[in-house]
């Protein structure tokens, strides 16, 4: 079967791997349908100073697949069923896993496509408990973007930041995959959404998704514009994932008692924090990583009801993945890049 492996920094190869054996106890063999690209793929592809990777590594952290066969002890899935795949190999035994909060697993084996082989391969065996069935009305692409894209955003906005209807939120990088999800989820629940983008073309598209105010961060300092829009009051919530380049400005955008939730640091991992601002303004800074199992189901339910939809930049094949990662690295995307496997 075909698979896409990272063999060196910035070097991917299409290889032929043996297909997986028959599924074991509690396992399912999946035929991978679609893989969605994320910044974790860019980090893995270009290498990073603080995390060693094993190579060769099958890439792809977020995907959907069709159940091909089920192993002994699997009663909740049937061949042919479309499922969304949880992106990390969690233990299933610790208290957090038993409560469906797998992103807090105490014995996590790693993230697929980064620490462990990922999903850019035709078939894979996985534990059934890490698969969430897609409801009718959700296709392979919708199920592919449920775990890392929509699931992460659900967990950030609702579990961590506890976003409420009527609040104002600043969503950074509204053209990114998670940005396009955050704009839709926040707007549909009745929030005022301010977002940042890097071009006027992206500004139009962000508005079309429901953003009330769009700031081109290459033309204007977002802190100043947010101050004007909110009449110096500040926003209730900042949705962060840019990191170094924006973090101090994000803190300045918060109103007293405001919440900042972050799941990423695409521009750099270190920043300075003004502690006086933190305690005097009574800000809440929250880190968020991955999602609970339920976040994936909730996201797909909202897709099925037409409340939100995946925003697709391009659909590519195995041979086009490197240019796609380069485009992500230069932020020249709007929405998700999808690697489509099934015909
Ligand atoms: Zn666990």
């Amino acid at each position: 079967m075909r698979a896409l492996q990272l063999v060196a920094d910035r070097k991917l190869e299409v290889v032929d791997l043996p297909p997986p054996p028959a599924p074991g106890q509690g396992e399912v063999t999946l035929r991978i349908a679609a893989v969605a690209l994320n910044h974790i793929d860019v980090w893995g592809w270009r290498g990073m100073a603080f995390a060693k990777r094993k190579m060769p590594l099958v890439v792809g952290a977020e995907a959907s697949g069709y159940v091909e066969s089920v192993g002994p002890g699997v009663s909740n899935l049937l061949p042919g069923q479309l499922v969304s795949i949880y992106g990390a190999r969690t233990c299933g035994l610790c208290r957090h896993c038993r409560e469906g909060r797998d992103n807090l697993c105490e014995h996590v084996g790693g993230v697929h496509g980064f620490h462990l082989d990922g999903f850019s391969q035709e078939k894979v065996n996985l534990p059934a408990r890490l698969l969430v069935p897609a409801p009718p009305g959700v296709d392979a692409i919708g199920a592919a973007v449920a775990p890392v894209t929509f699931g992460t955003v659900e967990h950030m906005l609702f579990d961590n930041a506890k976003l409420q209807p009527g609040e104002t939120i600043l969503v950074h990088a509204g053209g990114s995959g998670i940005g396009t999800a955050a704009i839709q989820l926040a707007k549909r629940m009745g929030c005022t959404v301010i977002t940042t983008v890097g071009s006027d073309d992206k500004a139009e598209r962000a508005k079309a998704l429901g953003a009330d105010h769009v700031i081109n961060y290459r033309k204007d300092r977002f802190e100043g514009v947010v101050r004007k829009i909110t009449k110096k009051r500040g926003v209730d919530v900042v949705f962060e994932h840019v990191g170094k380049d924006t973090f101090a400005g994000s803190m300045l955008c918060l109103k007293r008692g405001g919440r900042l939730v972050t799941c990423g640091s695409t521009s750099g991992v270190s920043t300075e924090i003004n502690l006086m601002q933190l305690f005097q303004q009574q800000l809440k800074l929250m880190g968020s990583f991955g999602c609970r199992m339920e976040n994936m189901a909730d996201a797909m339910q909202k897709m099925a009801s037409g409340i939100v939809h995946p925003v697709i930049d391009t659909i590519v094949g195995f041979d086009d993945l490197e240019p796609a990662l380069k485009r992500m690295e230069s932020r020249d995307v709007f929405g998700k890049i999808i690697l489509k496997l099934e015909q």
Side-chain angles (χ1 to χ4, degrees):
M1 64 168 194
R2 287 198 317 155
L4 195 58
Q5 278 185 336
L6 182 71
V7 293
D9 281 359
R10 292 179 182 268
K11 193 165 174 17
L12 293 171
E13 260 177 26
V14 181
V15 295
D16 202 20
L17 294 182
Q25 180 74 29
E27 274 189 346
V28 167
T29 298
L30 286 183
R31 194 156 44 79
I32 297 292
V35 178
L37 295 191
N38 289 283
H39 267 279
I40 193 165
D41 298 303
V42 178
W43 292 72
W45 169 68
R46 74 180 176 200
M48 50 208 279
F50 50 87
K52 278 229 159 77
R53 296 154 298 157
K54 82 167 178 78
M55 287 191 266
L57 178 82
V58 177
V59 297
E62 180 174 40
S64 64
Y66 290 99
V67 175
E68 187 171 81
S69 53
V70 301
V74 177
S75 54
N76 61 331
L77 294 169
L78 292 169
Q81 200 168 2
L82 176 64
V83 294
S84 182
I85 307 171
Y86 196 76
R89 187 60 75 97
T90 55
C91 78
L93 300 170
C94 74
R95 182 169 62 91
H96 298 302
C97 281
R98 291 196 318 268
E99 292 170 356
R101 294 179 293 145
D102 285 57
N103 55 333
L104 288 171
C105 176
E106 291 164 21
H107 312 287
V108 62
V111 174
H112 286 284
F114 194 77
H115 310 104
L116 308 168
D117 275 340
F119 306 124
S120 299
Q121 50 185 328
E122 287 175 339
K123 289 179 189 183
V124 67
N125 281 0
L126 288 166
R129 62 174 198 86
L130 295 177
L131 309 175
V132 179
V138 172
D139 65 8
I141 291 179
V145 299
V148 182
T149 310
F150 278 86
T152 298
V153 177
E154 285 267 339
H155 188 55
M156 289 173 78
L157 296 183
F158 307 128
D159 298 340
N160 285 319
K162 303 203 186 312
L163 187 66
Q164 301 296 318
E167 289 192 316
T168 301
I169 180 170
L170 169 64
V171 174
H172 275 295
S176 62
I178 56 170
T180 57
I183 291 171
Q184 295 182 73
L185 287 165
K187 185 62 190 173
R188 304 296 178 266
M189 74 178 291
C191 291
T192 299
V193 179
I194 307 172
T195 193
T196 63
V197 293
S199 73
D200 291 342
D201 168 53
K202 286 187 187 179
E204 287 310 310
R205 299 172 74 178
K207 273 191 187 148
L209 282 178
D212 298 283
H213 307 275
V214 185
I215 304 166
N216 184 336
Y217 64 80
R218 293 191 208 271
K219 285 186 181 166
D220 295 303
R221 284 179 65 87
F222 71 88
E223 307 93 307
V225 183
V226 167
R227 222 172 129 74
K228 261 187 218 156
I229 293 168
T230 60
K231 299 189 170 60
K232 297 186 185 173
R233 218 173 126 255
V235 298
D236 299 283
V237 171
V238 175
F239 178 90
E240 248 292 345
H241 53 116
V242 179
K244 185 171 172 250
D245 289 355
T246 54
F247 206 87
S250 292
M251 282 180 64
L252 281 172
C253 288
L254 287 170
K255 72 176 196 188
R256 187 165 298 152
R259 295 99 75 197
L260 181 154
V261 62
T262 180
C263 73
S265 54
T266 49
S267 67
V269 295
S270 296
T271 189
E272 259 185 27
I273 286 177
N274 181 329
L275 294 175
M276 192 173 279
Q277 185 192 2
L278 177 68
F279 62 76
Q280 276 188 345
Q281 293 299 314
Q282 300 164 66
L283 306 180
K284 295 181 179 69
L285 308 182
M286 286 167 271
S288 196
F289 189 72
C291 68
R292 297 180 297 120
M293 287 291 166
E294 238 175 48
N295 295 133
M296 292 161 64
D298 288 349
M300 287 193 284
Q301 209 51 61
K302 287 176 191 173
M303 289 179 207
S305 318
I307 295 171
V308 294
H309 64 273
V311 176
I312 306 307
D313 178 278
T314 36
I315 296 175
V316 301
F318 267 14
D319 299 325
D320 310 318
L321 209 70
E322 272 189 357
L325 290 166
K326 276 181 197 144
R327 282 183 53 220
M328 283 188 73
E329 191 179 27
S330 63
R331 301 190 187 179
D332 178 26
V333 287
F334 192 91
K336 302 297 294 181
I337 299 177
I338 305 288
L339 169 68
K340 200 91 189 280
L341 275 88
E342 53 119 16
Q343 301 309 308

